[in-house]
Amino acid sequence: MSDTRLRLIKGTFDVLVLKTLSWGPAHGYAISRWIAQSSRDELKIEEGALYPALRRLEERGLLDSEWRASDTGRDARFYALTPAGRRALREEVAVWERYVKSFTRVLSARPEGSIA
Amino acid sequence: MTRRRDDDLPMSKRPPVDEDVRREIEFHIERRAAELVTAGVPRERAMAEARASFGDRAAVEAECRDIEERRRTTRHRASRLAEFRQDVAVGWRVLKKSPGFTVAAVVTLALGVGANSAVFSLVNRLLLQPLPYAHADRLVTIDEQHAKGYGNIPWPNFVDVKAQNATFDAMAQYGGGMGTLLAGGSALRVREAAFSQGLFDVLEVRPVMGRLPLPAEHQIGAPAVAVVSYPFWRDVLGAPASLNGVRVKGERDYAVIGVLPPGFAFNDATQVWFPLEVEPLEHSRTSHNRETIGRMKAGVTLDAAQRDLGAVFAHLASVYQPDFDATGARMYGLRDALYGSMRTPLYLLLGASGVLLLAACANLAGAQLARGSARAGEFAIRSALGAGRGRLLRQLVAESALLAFLGAVAGLALSFAILRGFTAIAPSSLPIASVSIDGWVLAFAAVAAVLTTVLVGALPALRLSGDDAGLALREGTRGTGGVSRMRAWKVLVAAEVAIAVVLLTGSTLLIKSFSRVMDQQLGFDPASALAVRVALPGVNYDGPNLANVMRFHDQSLERIRSAPGVASVGFANALPLAGGGPSGGIAVEGKPADPNFGSTGYAIYRVVGGDYFEAAGIPVVAGEVFSSRRSLPPNSVVVDQAFATREWPNENPIGKRMRVVSMDHPRDFPEPWLTVVGVVASVRPASVTGDFRPTYFMDFHERPMYRVESASYVVRTTGSVTAIASVVRNAMRAVDPDVAIEAAPLQDIVSRSVNERRFTMIVLGTFAAVALLLAIAGVYAVISYAVAQRRREIGIRLALGATRGRVRTMVLGSAAAAIAPGLLLGAAGAIAAARALATLVYGVSPSDPPSLALALAALGVAGLLSGLLPAVRATRVDPLLAIRMD
């Protein structure tokens, strides 16, 4: 069975994580579910890869973490955006939007005369 | 307040790293499986699927663990740093809140650290830092030991010792003094010296420019060459790029062939060096003219070298007896030779500044104790809010460290000023100008600051850990003190008082000793007299021009004598206190003479001109002396009392006869008999505390061979000594514009010879004064505090009818009780310290009871006086207010 899902462009995963946490603190499983659902499972994400990414973001001071009870009563490691994380998200989103816009513009452009 | 974060928790309350990582991932897999189970997948398959979709769990866990470890370490470090910053910030706020205490503390510390750094920089430069010569530990100055004392090694002995010893790599002689040179068209007074071949091998110094004299240039008849110091080349010669054709004229016309390295300041920074062996040197084995310096072979000890040279001298003695009077060698390490006389004083001052710092620490620690009790409430509250005892301790230490840092910085600044002050009072033998605040001194100040932090911070910290924080809180912020705190403080005050007693006793001793020194009969009168050193340039005055010397002096004397403000003028080949001056053999008529030389003994001689005795204020005891007013018969001689007493005890010396015996002259050279015409008082030849030595005086007109082209004039004036200097200068310049002149009040020569004593006395006296102030401040603070603590008690006593006089007596009594142990301790300390002073005092016993009594009395009175103000304040307590307080 071949996987037809999209491979993620390097470095964009962090933005998705930050974006997910912008709705409020969440544990790793919730984050991975949220990303999967909101992308309608179109993105190919290794579930395990989320955790080193989370901890790296935490190390960079963009996230905070805390062990507390989850909805099922079991303790989970909850992550939350720090003010620095919120700032980073804003910047990354802006960059991403510019990127997409330029990319789309090139792809949809037609040559006026010959390009050769 | 920000959200509570995991990192705020102590490390122990956070899950360990592996558990943290494992549990997080377990949670993920189980939630995923649970979800699949809800969707209808059997439990077993759900778990397998959840694990599969997670990926490589082991690798992910390992990566997470790494990141987490790293993060925790950094966080930990950062939080420590933040805590430290916070401690310092809080400390700063606390210090700012009580500016009085802070300023007092910083000033106290600055005094302690400043005094220590300044003295240490001297000790470091003079006694600890290596001398600026290669392998300086192998350099020694060598003297001959005689039956009575020691002296320079005569040239023939030097040649033999140099050739026959087995323990030296190199050995050389050098000697010189102030001379006059014509360089660049003008006459200059310069420090010049002649040196024997190999001096620069001994010192391991090479010229930075040009070359050293060749062996052939150290021979009789060689062309005159000279090497010059770097500053001389730069400032006097004008830093020529080439030495071609550069010449200086002194006794001869020298070609300058080399420039010594900058910083080379050997032999009191001699400026011009020339080879010694170009002229015939003395053959006498009993005439002592030049210093000898040697470089011991590597691995040879001073003792071994001493034994070696002793053997050589013993051998020489067996060969050359009786024309030989050395019994052995006497050697000093170069540093001892240079600064030996300042070693004890400097270490004494270093010790004194050290105990001064201790006194400063005691003062601060006492103040901290008092604040500590006032702040017990503050700490109790912080402790109740969750600050650990360690944290509170760190807080206290941070405060002390902050104080110590401020004190050290202020102290270093102060030590610059103190060093500058030293320059003004230091003996000229100390190269103060080259003493600076270097890395060693900074390190020393840092150590002093750390020590202070420990001493000052530790006490309140110990107190803190002994206190029950809860108790303090219940007692409120009133801070009832506590008996043990008062006791600790009183111990500190006693220590301060003791230190002050020791320093005060020491400085009283030195002051007393100094006044004894100054009371010494000098034998001459330095007041209102000017000393003028003049050296006639050898090129114009030497050899065939010897008559010029005579003419110069006659004309100069004439002109100066007739100048306004001059009472009398004369000159001699050497002044009193100038270090003895030349001496030689004599024969006294009617005494058994040495069969080989015909001499009956030695004496210092002086060749004088003009009204020397009158100008120098040397009293005439009997007969007549040389003067400008009347001439004495030819071949007259004047002797001093020491001479007369030695040669003709209980006889009238007038009319007795003696003659000069010179070993350098052929034995049949007929020296005339000289008749004693007068006796003068003896003068101190070398130092104020030195012995009188038999001296005789001759008229310079009769002794043309005694070269007096370098003479010291003494001008006694009716007016100001400094004003007369230019008059004398102009008079001499009118005779010969090319002579260089150096004028200074005769009093300066006396001062210079007691400079080391004066320096030690002033510095120790200053330290003692500071220690006294610290003790006064300490007593004042502890008594004020005690009064403040006992306000309520005093109020009750007053309310119950105690008179104000009673209250005052009570407070003064407690002051006395605080001082008394310090006085006892100080007396014991002063007696113990007396030994350190033994070599420094003159004419007074180092354990002089009156000095100790004076110091004790001063401390006692000062202590009681400083208790007086708080005592008076205590009597002003309003009983009603005091009782209602709190």
Side-chain angles (χ1 to χ4, degrees), chain A residues 1-8 39-45:
Chain A
M1 179 182 110
S2 78
D3 195 340
T4 58
R5 290 182 296 174
L6 297 172
R7 281 183 60 221
L8 214 53
S39 71
R40 302 196 183 87
D41 259 339
E42 287 271 21
L43 296 174
K44 178 189 173 184
I45 298 169

Side-chain angles (χ1 to χ4, degrees), chain A:
Chain A
M1 179 182 110
S2 78
D3 195 340
T4 58
R5 290 182 296 174
L6 297 172
R7 281 183 60 221
L8 214 53
I9 297 168
K10 214 168 183 258
T12 50
F13 185 46
D14 286 355
V15 189
L16 299 185
V17 172
L18 292 176
K19 181 67 195 174
T20 308
L21 286 172
S22 71
W23 311 122
H27 49 70
Y29 184 71
I31 297 170
S32 93
R33 284 292 84 193
W34 175 265
I35 293 175
Q37 279 163 25
S38 54
S39 71
R40 302 196 183 87
D41 259 339
E42 287 271 21
L43 296 174
K44 178 189 173 184
I45 298 169
E46 187 88 24
E47 279 174 34
L50 172 66
Y51 290 90
L54 280 169
R55 281 171 192 269
R56 259 189 217 106
L57 288 170
E58 186 184 13
E59 194 187 14
R60 283 166 56 198
L62 304 183
L63 300 184
D64 261 347
S65 72
E66 181 185 9
W67 279 94
R68 59 175 152 96
S70 68
D71 42 2
T72 61
R74 263 191 80 170
D75 265 9
R77 206 175 199 265
F78 276 76
Y79 292 88
L81 276 187
T82 63
R86 211 166 282 285
R87 253 192 325 273
L89 173 63
R90 255 199 315 275
E91 283 160 22
E92 292 292 329
V93 168
V95 169
W96 177 251
E97 279 170 356
R98 273 177 59 202
Y99 176 79
V100 171
K101 213 182 272 172
S102 322
F103 202 80
T104 317
R105 203 177 292 141
V106 174
L107 291 183
S108 55
R110 283 165 209 285
E112 292 168 18
S114 167
I115 55 164

Side-chain angles (χ1 to χ4, degrees), chain B residues 420-485:
Chain B
R420 189 145 304 167
F422 280 176
T423 321
I425 56 169
S428 50
S429 61
L430 295 187
I432 296 275
S434 70
V435 175
S436 58
I437 308 289
D438 59 6
W440 289 101
V441 179
L442 288 179
F444 180 86
V447 168
V450 168
L451 195 78
T452 312
T453 308
V454 171
L455 287 181
V456 175
L459 258 170
L462 284 178
R463 291 285 324 144
L464 176 73
S465 45
D467 275 343
D468 183 330
L471 183 71
L473 187 55
R474 275 197 303 283
E475 281 177 356
T477 51
R478 191 157 23 97
T480 46
V483 181
S484 66
R485 175 174 292 132

Side-chain angles (χ1 to χ4, degrees), chain B residues 57 90 106 141 163 216 224 253 258 310 326 335 382 399 452 497 505 554 655 662 668 724 769 865 879 885:
Chain B
R57 180 176 172 179
V90 170
V106 169
T141 61
D253 187 359
R335 195 193 297 277
R382 290 186 59 185
E399 272 177 51
T452 312
V497 170
T505 308
D554 281 332
S662 169
D668 48 359
I724 205 76
L865 282 180
M885 211 164 55

Side-chain angles (χ1 to χ4, degrees), chain B residues 264-583:
Chain B
F264 177 77
F266 187 67
N267 194 29
D268 295 333
T270 289
Q271 294 160 292
V272 180
W273 294 89
F274 34 80
L276 169 70
E277 301 93 331
V278 293
E279 281 180 31
L281 291 165
E282 69 273 7
H283 299 293
S284 162
R285 288 182 183 270
T286 49
S287 95
H288 317 284
N289 294 315
R290 281 169 297 274
E291 310 283 332
T292 306
I293 185 170
R295 172 178 296 279
M296 297 187 294
K297 290 192 157 101
V300 171
T301 65
L302 204 61
D303 276 351
Q306 186 118 22
R307 279 195 303 277
D308 177 38
L309 294 198
V312 174
F313 273 107
H315 171 69
L316 293 179
S318 70
V319 176
Y320 295 106
Q321 274 306 352
D323 176 16
F324 197 87
D325 55 3
T327 57
R330 183 178 141 126
M331 302 191 303
Y332 306 90
L334 189 59
R335 195 193 297 277
D336 279 346
L338 289 175
Y339 311 124
S341 63
M342 280 309 280
R343 179 185 298 270
T344 316
L346 281 180
Y347 279 127
L348 176 84
L349 293 181
L350 190 62
S353 65
V355 295
L356 192 65
L357 183 63
L358 284 183
C361 285
N363 219 333
L364 278 185
Q368 287 278 51
L369 271 181
R371 280 159 43 82
S373 84
R375 290 173 67 192
E378 172 202 335
F379 281 118
I381 292 167
R382 290 186 59 185
S383 173
L385 287 178
R389 176 159 288 170
R391 190 69 207 279
L392 289 184
L393 276 180
R394 278 210 303 279
Q395 177 59 51
L396 275 176
V397 171
E399 272 177 51
S400 306
L402 203 58
L403 273 183
F405 176 76
L406 292 176
V409 170
L412 276 175
L414 184 64
S415 71
F416 272 107
I418 295 177
L419 272 181
R420 189 145 304 167
F422 280 176
T423 321
I425 56 169
S428 50
S429 61
L430 295 187
I432 296 275
S434 70
V435 175
S436 58
I437 308 289
D438 59 6
W440 289 101
V441 179
L442 288 179
F444 180 86
V447 168
V450 168
L451 195 78
T452 312
T453 308
V454 171
L455 287 181
V456 175
L459 258 170
L462 284 178
R463 291 285 324 144
L464 176 73
S465 45
D467 275 343
D468 183 330
L471 183 71
L473 187 55
R474 275 197 303 283
E475 281 177 356
T477 51
R478 191 157 23 97
T480 46
V483 181
S484 66
R485 175 174 292 132
M486 270 325 270
R487 202 184 299 134
W489 195 359
K490 280 184 174 158
V491 168
L492 290 174
V493 169
E496 279 175 58
V497 170
I499 287 169
V501 167
V502 173
L503 291 183
L504 214 53
T505 308
S507 64
T508 308
L509 266 174
L510 288 191
I511 291 168
K512 208 162 163 181
S513 149
F514 189 77
S515 79
R516 292 279 153 83
V517 170
M518 293 312 273
D519 285 348
Q520 281 295 300
Q521 188 103 47
L522 292 171
F524 64 99
D525 177 14
S528 302
L530 181 76
V532 184
R533 264 169 247 220
V534 55
L536 308 176
V539 275
N540 297 334
Y541 287 93
D542 222 11
N545 302 321
L546 210 55
N548 290 347
V549 176
M550 211 83 81
R551 195 160 48 241
F552 173 86
H553 288 311
D554 281 332
Q555 290 182 5
S556 291
L557 287 171
E558 191 53 48
R559 278 176 186 270
I560 296 170
R561 194 179 299 127
S562 57
V566 172
S568 53
V569 57
F571 72 84
N573 53 341
L575 289 181
L577 298 179
S583 62

